Amino acid sequence: MRQITYREAIREALQEEMRRDPAIFILGEDVAEYGGAFKVTAGMLEEFGPTRVLDTPLSESAIVGAAVGAALMGMHPVAELMFADFIGVAMDAVVNHAAKISYLSAGEYCAPMVVRMTYGVGLHKGAHHSQSVESWLSNVPGLTVVMPSTPSDAKGMLKAALRLSNPVIYFEHALLYNRKGPVPDGDHIVPIGKAEVRREGQDLTVVATGRMTEVALEAAASLQQVGIRAEVIDLRSIVPFDEMAVIESVRKTGRLLTVHEAPCRGGFGAEVASVVAEKAFGHLDAPIRRLGAPWTPVPFSPALEALYPPCAKDIVEAARSMIGSGAG
Amino acid sequence: MVFAEQLSNTDLLQMYRWMILTRTFEDRICALWGKGGIVELPHGSQGQEAIAVGACFGLRRSDQVMPSLRARGVFLVRGIPPRVQMAAAYGRATGAARGKSSAHHMGDRSSGILPSSAIVGASITVAVGAALAIKLQGRDDMVVCFFGDGAAQRGDFHEGLNFAGAFRLPIVFILENNGYAEYTPVSRHTAAANFACRAAGYGFPGFTLDGNDALAVYEATQQAAVAARSGKGPTLLECVTYRLRSHNEVTPPETCRDAAEIDAWKARDPVSRLGASLVLQGILDASQQEALQAEASALVEDAVRYAEQSPFPSAEEISWCVYAEENGGLIVRGIP
């Protein structure tokens, strides 16, 4: 199968869907002539013209608010926020308007739109250009929140998102843009709401989101060396959350470790842990463990930033302690 | 008065009829508050009726309006029956979105009313987006966006108006300057002499006008509509008016204001003013005036009875429509 980058996969999804559906258009800061902060929309102005790829003022609240208004009028906007941290200034449009349109109109109106945003540490961009904010948005009924970790999912889930009638928050990890991976030719769609088992194992379940999936897979390979067979589940979307995939895996392994890049406290791992505690407690052979960032803002200095997200070594140590403490 | 002069006597009587109906509805709903039944706290628009009626009169069905918190007349003129507005205030299934929304913030697709948010000022950017869609779709419709002087202090005012100016969008911003943001007078929430001057900062025209003169509001909106529909972009209309009731019905009108100030504005009441003008012109007589008032009162009383007799939504409806319906092959929702 052909290999393309995560960035190219997102761009392909946008191009194909925009050719299919004239209601889709892109708006954001420097998305047209410049091609986007991370060059995801490079070349799209040339193909689709200035009425479908729109450079906007530096006004995130207006970008997302206008996307909602355009969606109400039958368009299907894709709003790009340069960094997920900027959701802070567009939060009202997302949570109080986009998310509630269907409910507050008893289904008469809907807000088909995608808000794409780049998240994650690793580019030395400091506290305001690095955060993983997905759990902020996971507690808002009406939203759909996806975090693709591979080029194939990046393309297929964005294509699915652009065929939905609801607002979708689409998180792209800054360090994944250059990752290459197999992506099927043609109309490749990945349904949203199904987790994917990235590696099968018998001894513990590692539930990861976004870039933490590849970190978990690296850890699983190390654990194999010491005879621990970790199963790695990539949630892919946190709203909806594929509870059954996690529960079924824990029934098999008896151990749950959650890993994400957002701070551990109040992160989505807490929701995963709660569901397992409520619905699969009897299958647990060891206490649930959660890994995430420390309870600090993202530090700027590379020396500190490197310590911020969970790394493979953290996962290996947590897994070994869980195996050691369990009934086996 | 290019456009206002072309209004027929029938048009003028119709405008007056809307103003009477709006006033009657507002007076009734404010009187009902606190007596059981009404669950939506009324934020009365008495004194500001000329703005809703003047701006909405003569719009196309395909134009879109974004109401403010205090815009009862917008709903009525655009065609929402008094029954639906009243049932919405009662939280009944026959009201707004089967009781999910409120009378103040309901949308209605067939009437071209965009659903608004109860976050004051936040709907401005959404109205701008609707205007963007109209432009991208190549239509010559437009959006009329209502908000108050309080909302104009939100960041969304700046972002929305600048965005609309940058794209030359077909939108008319109707700023109802009623003198107060909740209980704080304009003089204490801005140092500027007026709001219309802000439009210059966004590259489009802004005008201050008498918001208690329905025909002046009609004229200004229609002139702004010419610009909007022909691609020239937005206009900001600062309609100077006065809120005769308090911010809401929890407090009396005199709260944080002088009774003398209220009385002075009562002398400039927009409803009696249009009525007197029509009488002076021989378009309206006392018996017609009585008949219009009787008709409005009957409609409002019918709306109250309808609301009181309407059912509440059923318990299972709490989870309806959180998400729009989807092709299930594209999404799997674990939580019902």
Side-chain angles (χ1 to χ4, degrees):
Chain A
M1 199 184 294
R2 74 199 174 107
Q3 304 264 324
I4 60 172
T5 65
Y6 188 87
R7 173 187 291 104
E8 289 163 342
I10 297 168
R11 187 186 301 138
E12 270 193 5
L14 293 170
Q15 289 167 329
E16 289 175 14
E17 291 305 296
M18 285 175 72
R19 287 172 200 142
R20 178 187 64 81
D21 182 357
I24 300 173
F25 71 101
I26 296 171
L27 73 167
E29 293 157 12
D30 285 327
V31 294
E33 193 177 338
Y34 183 71
F38 291 90
K39 298 292 179 191
V40 170
T41 53
M44 294 193 65
L45 173 65
E46 288 71 17
E47 176 175 353
F48 297 101
T51 61
R52 298 190 69 194
V53 187
L54 278 63
D55 280 332
T56 65
L58 228 147
S59 305
E60 286 81 7
S61 184
I63 291 168
V64 180
V68 176
L72 292 175
M73 297 295 293
M75 303 298 285
H76 200 141
V78 180
E80 175 176 311
L81 298 190
M82 235 177 244
F83 290 93
D85 314 68
F86 302 175
I87 194 67
V89 288
M91 200 69 162
D92 183 71
V94 172
V95 309
N96 280 325
H97 240 123
K100 294 176 173 55
I101 287 293
S102 174
Y103 196 74
L104 294 184
S105 66
E108 183 174 309
Y109 281 98
C110 57
M113 55 187 279
V114 175
V115 183
R116 293 179 38 237
M117 47 186 134
T118 303
Y119 76 104
V121 300
L123 296 180
H124 322 314
K125 289 188 182 293
H128 302 127
H129 292 63
S130 307
Q131 294 173 87
S132 293
V133 304
E134 68 277 4
S135 71
W136 303 0
L137 295 159
S138 70
N139 199 228
V140 184
L143 293 182
T144 295
V145 183
V146 305
M147 305 180 74
S149 72
T150 66
S152 175
D153 283 353
K155 178 171 180 182
M157 293 175 79
L158 184 50
K159 283 174 71 87
L162 286 167
R163 297 178 190 203
L164 296 179
S165 302
N166 289 294
V168 177
I169 308 297
Y170 183 95
F171 284 108
E172 307 166 10
H173 199 290
L175 293 186
L176 293 179
Y177 281 124
N178 292 328
R179 290 283 189 279
K180 275 196 163 181
V183 177
D185 279 317
D187 203 23
H188 169 60
I189 304 225
V190 175
I192 292 169
K194 292 300 288 178
E196 179 81 359
V197 177
R198 296 287 179 203
R199 179 188 177 110
E200 292 196 9
Q202 306 295 319
D203 301 326
L204 89 157
T205 300
V206 182
V207 173
T209 50
R211 192 183 76 82
M212 284 299 114
T213 302
E214 66 178 29
V215 177
L217 288 169
E218 183 190 338
S222 301
L223 287 166
Q224 184 75 48
Q225 309 294 318
V226 294
I228 296 174
R229 299 161 299 169
E231 178 144 302
V232 176
I233 295 180
D234 175 4
L235 278 188
R236 307 206 284 187
S237 71
I238 61 169
V239 186
F241 163 34
D242 188 352
E243 295 184 2
M244 274 319 295
V246 174
I247 290 168
E248 280 170 13
S249 177
V250 169
R251 280 181 185 152
K252 178 175 71 174
T253 65
R255 292 176 179 85
L256 173 69
L257 171 63
T258 66
V259 193
H260 52 63
E261 199 175 301
C264 191
R265 182 182 300 180
F268 197 74
E271 178 67 17
V272 177
S274 301
V275 164
V276 168
E278 282 183 336
K279 301 182 180 175
F281 188 77
H283 295 274
L284 288 170
D285 296 323
I288 296 168
R289 286 285 307 271
R290 293 180 292 147
L291 289 175
W295 191 243
T296 74
V298 180
F300 175 65
S301 168
L304 300 177
E305 185 193 25
L307 304 175
Y308 189 79
C311 62
K313 183 164 160 286
D314 297 331
I315 296 171
V316 167
E317 284 174 4
R320 295 189 71 164
S321 76
M322 290 168 75
I323 301 290
S325 74
Chain B
M1 297 285 261
V2 185
F3 293 94
E5 280 171 6
Q6 292 170 21
L7 289 169
S8 67
N9 289 355
T10 313
D11 290 334
L12 293 167
L13 286 170
Q14 182 61 28
M15 287 177 89
Y16 182 60
R17 181 179 169 271
W18 286 126
M19 297 202 23
I20 293 264
L21 179 60
T22 307
R23 173 63 57 89
T24 306
F25 191 102
E26 292 294 68
D27 281 348
R28 187 74 173 101
I29 205 168
C30 289
L32 280 166
W33 176 253
K35 296 191 171 63
I38 295 262
V39 290
E40 181 179 17
L41 176 56
H43 291 59
S45 68
Q46 292 97 320
Q48 303 179 212
E49 296 92 339
I51 300 169
V53 174
C56 290
F57 196 83
L59 294 184
R60 300 174 183 168
R61 178 60 55 193
S62 50
D63 290 329
Q64 303 292 314
V65 299
M66 177 63 87
S68 73
L69 168 67
R70 206 179 299 284
R72 186 81 60 197
V74 172
F75 292 100
L76 299 175
V77 177
R78 291 297 286 180
I80 302 297
R83 282 182 162 196
V84 172
Q85 275 283 295
M86 194 65 81
Y90 276 74
R92 304 299 168 112
T94 51
R98 295 198 57 79
K100 300 288 181 49
S101 187
S102 59
H104 288 140
H105 301 293
M106 66 177 287
D108 187 73
R109 191 182 284 285
S110 64
S111 309
I113 299 172
L114 296 164
S116 59
S117 149
I119 311 297
V120 168
S123 299
I124 295 173
T125 59
V126 177
V128 166
L132 175 65
I134 287 170
K135 179 169 178 144
L136 296 178
Q137 290 160 354
R139 297 156 49 194
D140 68 348
D141 295 325
M142 66 170 190
V143 177
V144 181
C145 177
F146 296 84
F147 52 89
D149 50 282
Q153 314 301 29
R154 286 284 324 283
D156 282 326
F157 170 92
H158 167 67
E159 290 202 16
L161 269 70
N162 183 60
F163 193 107
F167 287 99
R168 292 188 179 276
L169 297 182
I171 185 165
V172 181
F173 297 104
I174 305 278
L175 191 162
E176 302 194 27
N177 179 358
N178 68 12
Y180 291 85
E182 299 203 358
Y183 304 98
T184 303
V186 167
S187 61
R188 282 200 277 123
H189 69 77
T190 180
N194 66 66
F195 289 91
C197 64
R198 295 185 185 185
Y202 304 119
F204 55 81
F207 304 100
T208 301
L209 56 136
D210 182 350
N212 282 20
D213 179 348
L215 295 181
V217 176
Y218 174 77
E219 178 70 24
T221 307
Q222 291 298 312
Q223 290 194 15
V226 172
R229 297 191 201 284
S230 62
K232 292 196 177 70
T235 304
L236 171 62
L237 299 179
E238 177 190 2
C239 303
V240 178
T241 184
Y242 192 79
R243 190 187 71 203
L244 293 176
R245 302 294 297 181
S246 192
H247 169 54
N248 58 42
E249 288 305 304
V250 168
T251 50
E254 303 77 28
T255 309
C256 302
R257 302 193 297 192
D258 287 337
E261 180 185 277
I262 302 171
D263 287 341
W265 277 92
K266 276 184 180 163
R268 299 159 71 179
D269 185 302
V271 184
S272 357
R273 186 166 156 187
L274 181 62
S277 162
L278 297 183
V279 168
L280 203 63
Q281 295 173 69
I283 297 167
L284 180 72
D285 62 29
S287 70
Q288 278 173 298
Q289 225 163 345
E290 271 176 40
L292 284 172
Q293 182 58 63
E295 180 208 23
S297 299
L299 278 169
V300 171
E301 290 318 307
D302 168 72
V304 172
R305 278 193 301 277
Y306 177 78
E308 285 172 348
Q309 290 163 12
S310 288
F312 283 104
S314 55
E316 75 264 20
E317 292 186 46
I318 190 171
S319 58
W320 289 4
C321 301
V322 176
Y323 291 91
E325 280 190 36
E326 303 285 14
N327 169 354
L330 294 173
I331 188 153
V332 185
R333 294 201 188 279
I335 300 169

